[in-house]
Amino acid sequence: MPSYQMFADFYDSLTDNVQYKKRAEYIVNILNKKFNHNMGITLDLACGTGTLTILLKEMGIDVYGIDASQDMLSVAFQKSMAQGLNILFLCQKMQSLDLYGTIDTCVCTLDSLNHITDETTFKKAIERVSFFMTKDGYFLFDLNTRYKHRNVLENNTFVYETDDVYCVWQNTLQSNDIVDIDLDLFVKNGDSYQRHSESFSERAYSLDFVRSALNEYGFVVEGIFGEFSDEPPKEDEERVIVVARKLYTQTEKNENM
């Protein structure tokens, strides 16, 4: 898993096109209106710098965030404090999730689960969410699709530039739907630039595998949608939304074993 040590400082400016406010409103609306689900205690899993967490908090959601990167969480904590919000942020890996109590909702956005490239570890992350999820709780997450990996990311290079940093994003597509990503960050320092590099990978999973993994750990898939939509994804969808409901509590599972 990536550390995002330097990337954390520039993450927000380099991802200002992801429409966080629209994303937060979409999550709340689709769970409330389409599935009649009150979000209750909500976990923002792989919350990064906490932008979505903060927006959900401002919408009245009882939310906290977890991420594996201390650098990302440092930015998240500073942002929440600057806005006078009391939000708990914990440093944990998705596959090692260990909460203090149960949750009614878990959201995991911006292809965070794609960053798990091992199938067993992917399923372990779902198992940990399931362990702490209440009966009829909802797990909403998004995934980059195989279409995006094979037709958009592929072996392409992208360049992003702000006043403070110049970012070169290089992708290498492997045969097993894994994209290796190399980031070169050129950070402005007076009249010169300092180069910093980050590398990580993403894996595109088939929806059949995702559905099977969810079923294995007590979830039923209530819907798979196109991004920002309540309709099924199109063939050229780059990111899909998966909404799953927990069928039983952990206590009920133990009693039936």
Side-chain angles (χ1 to χ4, degrees):
M1 297 291 286
S3 67
Y4 292 128
Q5 183 173 1
M6 178 57 63
F7 194 33
D9 292 335
F10 303 100
Y11 184 84
D12 288 342
S13 62
L14 291 170
T15 59
D16 63 356
N17 63 335
V18 300
Q19 300 176 282
Y20 281 107
K21 189 173 188 297
K22 181 178 180 180
R23 202 169 298 276
E25 292 171 348
Y26 170 82
I27 290 169
V28 174
N29 287 337
I30 198 166
L31 289 176
N32 190 304
K33 295 179 180 179
K34 191 172 184 68
F35 298 104
N36 195 30
H37 175 63
N38 184 334
M39 291 181 67
I41 299 174
T42 299
L43 170 63
D44 185 6
L45 185 62
C47 65
T49 60
T51 302
L52 182 69
T53 325
I54 290 169
L55 286 168
L56 291 173
K57 185 73 171 181
E58 291 176 337
M59 295 174 70
I61 306 300
D62 185 4
V63 62
Y64 63 102
I66 282 180
D67 199 272
S69 168
Q70 292 182 348
D71 299 289
M72 289 286 198
L73 291 177
S74 177
V75 176
F77 179 75
Q78 293 173 38
K79 286 162 55 177
S80 64
M81 291 295 290
Q83 297 185 40
L85 298 174
N86 183 20
I87 301 176
L88 175 67
F89 290 104
L90 300 173
C91 188
Q92 295 181 9
K93 294 181 179 180
M94 289 184 276
Q95 66 269 26
S96 305
L97 196 64
D98 190 12
L99 306 181
Y100 301 113
T102 57
I103 53 176
D104 303 301
T105 308
C106 180
V107 299
C108 186
T109 60
L110 298 179
D111 49 271
S112 295
L113 281 166
N114 291 104
H115 287 245
I116 300 177
T117 58
D118 174 71
E119 289 185 351
T120 300
T121 307
F122 184 98
K123 291 170 69 173
K124 183 63 177 178
I126 291 176
E127 186 273 330
R128 296 312 294 165
V129 172
S130 173
F131 186 86
F132 294 101
M133 182 74 71
T134 58
K135 182 178 181 179
D136 291 323
Y138 273 77
F139 185 17
L140 182 153
F141 58 92
D142 66 38
L143 291 168
N144 277 345
T145 63
R146 282 178 162 174
Y147 174 87
K148 182 174 182 177
H149 275 220
R150 296 173 181 179
N151 296 278
V152 179
L153 298 181
E154 199 182 19
N155 295 308
N156 292 320
T157 298
F158 304 95
V159 175
Y160 305 92
E161 185 176 8
T162 72
D163 292 339
D164 299 315
V165 64
Y166 184 84
C167 175
V168 180
W169 182 301
Q170 300 180 79
N171 303 291
T172 306
L173 179 64
Q174 308 295 339
S175 59
N176 54 356
D177 282 319
I178 291 178
V179 172
D180 295 326
I181 300 169
D182 296 303
L183 294 180
D184 286 309
L185 301 169
F186 298 87
V187 181
K188 195 169 185 179
N189 183 16
D191 294 330
S192 62
Y193 286 85
Q194 290 183 329
R195 180 178 176 177
H196 303 269
S197 297
E198 299 271 359
S199 296
F200 53 95
S201 300
E202 284 196 4
R203 180 171 183 174
Y205 289 94
S206 74
L207 292 180
D208 286 341
F209 170 79
V210 173
R211 192 186 297 271
S212 175
L214 287 164
N215 291 344
E216 183 175 347
Y217 293 106
F219 287 102
V220 59
V221 174
E222 296 285 7
I224 299 177
F225 309 108
E227 190 168 26
F228 297 126
S229 172
D230 61 358
E231 298 293 333
K234 302 173 183 177
E235 289 186 5
D236 61 350
E237 202 79 52
E238 295 183 19
R239 179 180 280 141
V240 297
I241 309 295
V242 180
V243 181
R245 177 172 58 88
K246 182 71 182 298
L247 294 175
Y248 48 75
T249 66
Q250 190 62 32
T251 300
E252 289 174 337
K253 176 184 177 181
N254 293 339
E255 289 175 348
N256 292 326
M257 291 180 65

